[in-house]
Amino acid sequence: MPQEFGAAIARRLAGLLDTARTLVEVVAVCGCAVTVQEALRMVPELVGSGREVAVGSGLITIHDQRLAPRHDLVREAVCGALPDLTVRTLHGRFARLHLDAGQALLAAPHARAAATRGDVASALILITAAEQLTAASPHDAGDLAALVFGTVCPEQTEWFDVGRRCLSVLSRTQRAADAITVANAILAHVDDANLVDGP
């Protein structure tokens, strides 16, 4: 992406009203069309004028009550202008939104993008998505469980329970090597080997 283009998009974004700017950010981070209702859940303070200003900026479009980035380059430029924490926070909100709606496949990529080492909230979303995907998409479920176990740290109180859930998913999806790695890590931190038995 040309540097001048990215700078121009960043200036246009910075010049928007707060709600309009937040809506553009939400649509860009989503990465695809998002319904107005979904956007309202993400930006509850949004009012009609904010939406009109956001669409009028030329950074996003609206069609059949669905908002989308004007172009992939615009989406990339908007995301590139945002702090990493903002991007991860928005991905985390999208992950929770989709997971609450029972859409684990849609939640998973957002939870992946939100997750950082020690991020228990994202880890819990990811392992829940993995559990929901075990039957429908075992490969994705196994990948998520392996990622989750590397996200939570042993010194965190949630580590053991999350580890057991990861072990269960890895076992059910026949990821033997990963399951052994997780089981050995858990065994190294507990006194009672019986505690490792999955549900």
Side-chain angles (χ1 to χ4, degrees), residues 126-135 141 144 165-166 168-169 172:
L126 281 166
I127 192 57
T128 302
E131 289 165 343
Q132 292 183 13
L133 289 170
T134 299
L144 286 176
R165 292 172 69 183
C166 291
S168 176
V169 170
R172 284 184 283 151

Side-chain angles (χ1 to χ4, degrees), residues 14-188:
L16 294 176
L17 298 171
D18 287 349
T19 53
R21 182 173 59 251
T22 301
L23 179 59
V24 171
E25 294 170 356
V26 163
V27 173
V29 171
C30 179
C32 60
V34 58
T35 68
V36 171
Q37 290 303 315
E38 289 171 334
L40 285 171
R41 289 191 203 111
M42 297 285 286
V43 193
E45 68 276 17
L46 184 66
V47 293
S49 60
R51 186 172 65 196
E52 290 169 8
V53 170
V55 173
S57 72
L59 299 174
I60 62 174
T61 63
I62 185 168
H63 181 69
D64 290 337
Q65 292 300 299
R66 296 183 71 82
L67 300 161
R70 171 72 64 183
H71 189 279
D72 275 347
L73 282 177
V74 173
R75 179 186 60 76
E76 291 174 15
V78 170
C79 289
L82 301 178
D84 287 344
L85 180 58
T86 299
V87 174
R88 288 198 306 271
T89 299
L90 289 174
H91 276 301
R93 289 181 186 172
F94 271 117
R96 285 187 291 275
L97 181 70
H98 290 310
L99 203 57
D100 289 346
Q103 300 168 321
L105 276 172
L106 295 177
H110 288 293
R112 276 194 190 103
T116 57
R117 180 74 171 160
D119 181 357
V120 173
S122 291
L124 291 172
I125 292 171
L126 281 166
I127 192 57
T128 302
E131 289 165 343
Q132 292 183 13
L133 289 170
T134 299
S137 183
H139 178 75
D140 288 329
D143 284 350
L144 286 176
L147 173 63
V148 171
F149 194 69
T151 299
V152 184
C153 305
E155 58 271 17
Q156 293 177 295
T157 56
E158 299 86 354
W159 179 82
F160 178 72
D161 286 335
V162 170
R164 286 190 61 183
R165 292 172 69 183
C166 291
L167 181 57
S168 176
V169 170
L170 291 168
S171 298
R172 284 184 283 151
T173 56
Q174 300 182 354
R175 295 282 287 263
D178 289 324
I180 290 170
T181 298
V182 170
N184 286 339
I186 294 173
L187 282 170

